[in-house]
Amino acid sequence: MSIIRPSSEFVADRRWALRRGIELAADLSDSSGMTCAALVTDISEEGCMIRFAKGQDLVRDRLHSIKISGLEALAAYVIWCAEGKAGVAFSEPLHPATVQNLVMKSHYARISRHMALKEGALERLPALPPFPFGE
């Protein structure tokens, strides 16, 4: 009996939900009064990744409030933090339709910004993770 091993390209991922690439403004705060302006760069029903100004310190495992553009403030925990990026887990999962609406809002905003640029001065849109098919 042979054991099938994953290919060398396979990397284990501890996430439970599919991440979707977005670009939406957010504000993160905690009970100590710390506030942080951020950019949400991917999102799932379970959490998101944010980028923020380097040099700011986010406290791991402390309850935070994250206000993502288009949503009410959500309770969340910073799971990891390094070099101006952080992984945030929501205390309550988002509904899949809410995530889908945020993804569409982000994509429409990016396309609108791209189309607003003058002809001849168009810049290439940076790549986002692939949009999931079948949703």
Side-chain angles (χ1 to χ4, degrees), residues 1-129:
M1 174 182 239
S2 66
I3 297 174
I4 299 174
R5 298 193 185 278
S7 74
S8 60
E9 296 174 15
F10 177 79
V11 177
D13 192 338
R14 295 177 290 163
R15 297 178 193 105
W16 292 97
L18 176 66
R19 289 180 161 209
R20 297 154 184 94
I22 66 172
E23 291 178 351
L24 290 175
D27 292 306
L28 192 71
S29 59
D30 68 16
S31 58
S32 72
M34 181 285 305
T35 59
C36 173
L39 178 69
V40 179
T41 58
D42 72 35
I43 194 164
S44 72
E45 289 80 2
E46 303 292 329
C48 63
M49 183 171 77
I50 61 171
R51 291 181 185 226
F52 53 93
K54 288 184 181 176
Q56 287 191 299
D57 241 355
L58 300 182
V59 180
R60 291 182 49 206
D61 301 326
R62 178 182 289 172
L63 185 62
H64 289 76
S65 172
I66 185 166
K67 171 72 174 92
I68 301 172
S69 178
L71 289 182
E72 296 294 322
L74 304 166
Y77 293 91
V78 173
I79 302 301
W80 61 267
C81 182
E83 300 176 8
K85 297 178 190 175
V88 176
F90 304 134
S91 62
E92 294 289 326
L94 296 177
H95 190 279
T98 300
V99 173
Q100 187 69 18
N101 287 339
L102 290 172
V103 170
M104 294 308 294
K105 177 181 178 177
S106 172
H107 284 292
Y108 285 135
R110 293 181 76 236
I111 291 168
S112 295
R113 286 192 307 269
H114 180 74
M115 298 302 289
L117 295 174
K118 294 180 182 173
E119 191 171 322
L122 292 178
E123 63 183 32
R124 186 164 188 256
L125 291 173
L128 289 175

